[in-house]
Amino acid sequence: MTQFIIPTLASGGAGKPFFTNPAIEKIKDLVNALSVPEFSLPIFTVGFILMMLWYRKWTKPKVIIALTAGACVFYFGSMLIDYNYLLILKKPDNVPITIMLLAMGLCLWVAFRQAAINDARLEAGLPLPDADKEDKVLVWPDLVYTEMICMVLASAALVLWSIVLRAPLESPANPAGPPNPSKAPWYFLGLQEMLVYFDPWIAGVILPGLIVTGLIAMPYIDINPKGNGFYTIAQRKFALWVWLFGFLILWVVLIVFGTFLRGPNWNFFGPYEYWDSHLQVPLTNINLSDYFWVFGLGQPLPKNPFAREAVGIVFTAFWCLALPVVLARTVMYRMYNQMGSTRFYIMAFHLVIMAMLPLKMVLRWLFTLKYFVYLPEFNLNI
Amino acid sequence: MMQPVRSALDYVRSTQIWNSIFRHGVPRDRRTRVMAVMSNLFLHLHPVAVRKSGIRLSFTWCMGGLTFFLFLAETISGVLLMFYYRPVPEYAYADIIGLRAHVTLGLLREIHRWGAHAMIIAIWLHMMRVFLTGSYKPPREFNWGVGVILLVLTMLMSFTGYLLPWDQLAIWAITVGSNMGKATPFLGMQGPFTDLVQLPGGVPLVTVKSDAAYLLLAGTSVGENALMRFYVLHCIALPLVLAVLIAIHFWRIRKDGGISGPL
Ligand code: HEM
């Protein structure tokens, strides 16, 4: 749709934004500086924490209207003051992500609003709004008509979307000429973004595998009988915090990074930076073994790869295998007792592996850590 | 004005043909409404009465239904696309151009592509809703698992379809994706532990021509064999599995006691 709002745009970085003046340029620089993952991911995380803690406040209709208005000004404002950013946003295959973010915001509000109401009622000892099991309606007409109306509206929306936005088609396939950047379809860009921190065998195989097994195992692990069949936060704190952090921050936010903020050579660009394909970012990342032997002990790296990587191997083994046991004996002993060992260890294993992603990110940002374990001899880098 | 329409409708409803198709009267009272649902194969997916909370839009967001609607829309537009598309490198790209240039109301490709994106969005939101209402808890554990498989299959559907236009976007996106297959532990050429997979005497079992990526692409890179393989997966194998699993999913919703609600 944006191509109707903003008339013809040439490619490259030569176009002019609608508004520009020195103050706006200052703002853009600030946004660019803050958008690098080491700042923006913690900012998103803080936002997530506030969302979870203050759900009774921000879901009030008045607050939501103010927040939505603010978000609209921010969103359209951010489009109009910069040309490159607009180019990325209006790429046809990127439009679905904007749609997804809007839909997700709406859905989260609807969910958290009902959770706030339900939780308040439960605290006051009142029955839930829908507690009456026998309060039934006939499928014909109530459900069938709702379904039909949804179907008509959805068809109209889909046809409208298809008229307004052409499906992209680039030049014919050329096996010799990869575009830069080469990106997977947007729904896999979270995984591609993880490639910055982990090798493909982890980011592309192990982590997606564990996402699937973790999801399937979830109903058998989560033995909390409360909060079944209605929106609540108070009754299912642990499940909600972990799952929503994984989905919203480690999946959706990484997709946004991968789509909007990763340019040529998978370099990071702020929303208002020109995607310069000649930009070379020097790779200065350092392995844990270098830290230990060279910087710590002042020795050359040992010849034997296992001796060389001993610290990393011990650390990784501790994190993946011993940490669950430590958790069971310390902070999570109550959970362990309730769940039993099989359930607990399946849960804890998935949890620590999930936590490895933010851990590695933070270590990368703080210490430019490359690999915990660097065994190129076996293609085994962690 | 209304009167002739009314009587025309009444006449149609009194014919033998109408009554042979719809065996119940006009669904205007409780008995005929129940009959309308029970005597129709498709509506029969539903029980005759549901909990009020279960059909509130603010509870389900209609996201499961929307996912299913999009699956149907994709099936129909997909079948129409198959009339015009040949999955070989010589023709694939040209056929896509032809779709835009020569086919009346050339919106097919747009509907199919945006419908696919929308389906991914809808299925994620559906999963989020089921999670947030705790509807995966007993007795619905198994149906959640069926759902997870549906999620994986839906994303694979989108992924295999992404290659078919055979443009730069297509082959390089699939290259990025299938490169991950090369890194599979034990089974990929560039993955860890692959050297360990060998016959006695040191004959390697996993080679460039037999690793996980080769299985997916039927080649060492994205080429004509990969196109054919993705086409068959996209148009036949995956949709069939998806359809069967959706049937199980719906069946189980009923068997598990209908849409969840406060216990
Ligand atoms: C092709 C994909 C899918 C289709 C067509 C589909 C369709 C539906 C429909 C129509 C419902 C009825 C209630 C509603 O609309 O929310 C439903 C319920 C349900 N779905 Fe799905 N679904 C799909 C994928 C999934 C996924 C990915 C999950 C979870 C990982 C899932 C788990 C469930 C569960 C547990 C219920 C029962 C919810 C309750 O009783 O409240 N489904 N599904």
Side-chain angles (χ1 to χ4, degrees):
Chain A
M1 187 160 14
T2 39
Q3 75 241 63
F4 290 148
I5 303 172
I6 321 284
T8 29
L9 296 163
S11 63
K16 271 215 176 115
F18 269 67
F19 308 105
T20 176
N21 68 40
I24 288 184
E25 292 304 315
K26 282 258 160 53
I27 297 177
K28 286 200 212 171
D29 289 343
L30 182 70
V31 172
N32 284 338
L34 284 180
S35 67
V36 292
E38 43 267 62
F39 291 123
S40 58
L41 213 66
I43 293 174
F44 277 119
T45 307
V46 170
F48 170 74
I49 293 172
L50 295 181
M51 174 184 96
M52 295 297 288
L53 290 179
W54 291 349
Y55 66 103
R56 295 180 200 213
K57 301 208 179 73
W58 70 258
T59 51
K60 294 206 173 106
K62 265 186 209 149
V63 185
I64 273 298
I65 291 173
L67 283 177
T68 314
C72 285
V73 170
F74 180 77
Y75 181 71
F76 288 108
S78 67
M79 278 193 340
L80 292 183
I81 59 173
D82 193 79
Y83 179 78
N84 293 307
Y85 185 51
L86 182 68
L87 274 186
I88 300 166
L89 274 185
K90 78 178 203 81
K91 252 179 112 172
D93 262 5
N94 289 351
V95 172
I97 305 177
T98 306
I99 294 180
M100 177 188 71
L101 294 177
L102 294 174
M104 196 166 273
L106 179 67
C107 288
L108 279 173
W109 173 58
V110 172
F112 277 62
R113 170 83 184 145
Q114 291 175 86
I117 293 171
N118 290 346
D119 286 349
R121 290 184 74 102
L122 287 169
E123 269 162 32
L126 298 169
L128 292 173
D130 298 314
D132 184 5
K133 265 192 193 157
E134 297 314 313
D135 191 9
K136 290 197 169 181
V137 289
L138 284 179
V139 162
W140 186 300
D142 289 56
L143 179 53
V144 176
Y145 277 45
T146 314
E147 285 173 344
M148 206 187 72
I149 294 168
C150 282
M151 215 153 86
V152 171
L153 291 180
S155 312
L158 189 56
V159 170
L160 192 72
W161 185 357
S162 305
I163 292 174
V164 171
L165 204 63
R166 298 243 81 172
L169 188 66
E170 296 191 351
S171 46
N174 172 9
N180 189 6
S182 286
K183 292 192 179 187
W186 65 267
Y187 35 85
F188 286 138
L189 283 187
L191 297 175
Q192 201 174 349
E193 177 67 15
M194 288 176 204
L195 283 175
V196 174
Y197 305 97
F198 287 110
D199 271 13
W201 73 278
I202 298 186
V205 184
I206 302 288
L207 291 179
L210 288 178
I211 292 174
V212 172
T213 57
L215 282 174
I216 293 182
M218 200 176 82
Y220 305 97
I221 292 172
D222 179 5
I223 54 165
N224 171 9
K226 290 192 196 150
N228 184 343
F230 57 95
Y231 293 98
T232 171
I233 309 264
Q235 294 200 336
R236 306 170 47 212
K237 288 211 179 88
F238 182 73
L240 277 150
W241 278 84
V242 174
W243 198 92
L244 283 178
F245 179 76
F247 183 54
L248 297 178
I249 303 290
L250 296 184
W251 185 257
V252 175
V253 169
L254 290 196
I255 287 178
V256 171
F257 282 1
T259 316
F260 297 127
L261 305 176
R262 288 288 177 184
N265 308 324
W266 209 253
N267 285 328
F268 197 93
F269 292 90
Y272 301 134
E273 273 176 280
Y274 170 58
W275 282 16
D276 178 3
S277 56
H278 300 295
L279 181 73
Q280 293 292 335
V281 180
L283 293 174
T284 51
N285 297 334
I286 301 163
N287 292 324
L288 186 60
S289 45
D290 290 320
Y291 268 115
F292 183 75
W293 295 103
V294 182
F295 300 140
L297 300 180
Q299 295 180 6
L301 292 171
K303 284 259 151 28
N304 182 320
F306 294 105
R308 187 186 69 211
E309 301 301 324
V311 190
I313 295 174
V314 169
F315 170 78
T316 311
F318 169 80
W319 186 271
C320 300
L321 303 174
L323 190 58
V325 183
V326 174
L327 289 175
R329 301 278 158 88
T330 56
V331 281
M332 292 188 167
Y333 74 94
R334 250 212 255 124
M335 216 183 239
Y336 176 81
N337 285 339
Q338 283 167 0
M339 290 167 72
S341 59
T342 311
R343 284 200 178 90
F344 181 84
Y345 285 125
I346 293 176
M347 184 280 287
F349 179 69
H350 283 93
L351 188 69
V352 294
I353 300 273
M354 175 172 142
M356 219 159 152
L357 180 60
L359 174 80
K360 182 111 186 236
M361 288 173 162
V362 170
L363 292 177
R364 171 72 55 86
W365 301 333
L366 293 180
F367 307 112
T368 60
L369 177 78
K370 190 164 187 201
Y371 291 120
F372 295 118
V373 176
Y374 178 61
L375 285 171
E377 295 88 345
F378 308 95
N379 289 331
L380 184 75
N381 306 325
I382 299 172
Chain B
M1 175 59 203
M2 278 314 279
Q3 197 48 42
V5 179
R6 263 271 155 86
S7 44
L9 273 177
D10 281 345
Y11 169 72
V12 172
R13 285 191 180 122
S14 70
T15 57
Q16 187 183 358
I17 297 177
W18 180 274
N19 283 299
S20 71
I21 301 173
F22 303 103
R23 293 205 177 277
H24 51 80
V26 191
R28 285 204 187 113
D29 55 24
R30 193 181 159 89
R31 195 188 69 84
T32 44
R33 283 173 170 174
V34 169
M35 292 285 290
V37 173
M38 293 222 297
S39 60
N40 179 303
L41 174 70
F42 302 104
L43 296 183
H44 184 240
L45 268 174
H46 300 300
V48 291
V50 285
R51 251 174 106 161
K52 219 179 201 162
S53 63
I55 66 166
R56 265 204 351 251
L57 219 52
S58 60
F59 187 73
T60 62
W61 314 337
C62 204
M63 275 305 160
L66 215 51
T67 313
F68 184 54
F69 163 77
L70 287 164
F71 175 72
L72 295 180
E74 290 300 283
T75 308
I76 295 169
S77 56
V79 167
L80 294 175
L81 282 171
M82 284 174 78
F83 287 131
Y84 299 101
Y85 173 84
R86 288 162 292 179
V88 283
E90 289 89 320
Y91 297 126
Y93 185 80
D95 287 349
I96 298 284
I97 303 249
L99 267 169
R100 184 170 285 176
H102 307 308
V103 179
T104 318
L105 289 178
L107 274 189
L108 273 180
R109 204 184 143 230
E110 274 69 21
I111 290 185
H112 198 70
R113 191 179 188 97
W114 302 136
H117 287 307
M119 188 170 166
I120 298 260
I121 298 173
I123 196 172
W124 287 0
L125 291 177
H126 172 55
M127 177 176 68
M128 190 167 92
R129 171 319 259 179
V130 174
F131 173 77
L132 288 174
T133 55
S135 305
Y136 57 86
K137 298 188 176 203
R140 298 184 180 78
E141 309 99 305
F142 177 73
N143 215 15
W144 168 272
V146 173
V148 176
I149 308 290
L150 282 171
L151 175 76
V152 174
L153 286 172
T154 303
M155 293 183 57
L156 285 180
M157 280 293 289
S158 260
F159 184 66
T160 48
Y162 216 84
L163 181 63
L164 304 184
W166 205 246
D167 63 343
Q168 280 289 75
L169 204 58
I171 68 160
W172 291 104
I174 302 308
T175 304
V176 170
S178 53
N179 272 344
M180 309 252 186
K182 295 203 174 110
T184 316
F186 296 105
L187 302 177
M189 270 314 280
Q190 291 154 19
F193 312 122
T194 303
D195 300 342
L196 302 178
V197 187
Q198 46 176 252
L199 293 173
V203 183
L205 266 181
V206 178
T207 65
V208 255
K209 294 220 155 190
S210 67
D211 76 340
Y214 196 91
L215 176 74
L216 183 68
L217 300 179
T220 48
S221 63
V222 180
E224 58 179 333
N225 290 352
L227 181 57
M228 181 53 84
R229 201 159 272 206
F230 275 47
Y231 177 75
V232 174
L233 283 174
H234 183 78
C235 302
I236 306 209
L238 293 173
L240 276 181
V241 182
L242 205 58
V244 172
L245 280 171
I246 289 178
I248 298 178
H249 194 61
F250 287 174
W251 173 249
R252 284 300 296 232
I253 294 174
R254 280 199 67 177
K255 292 291 143 184
D256 295 341
I259 307 289
S260 60
L263 296 171

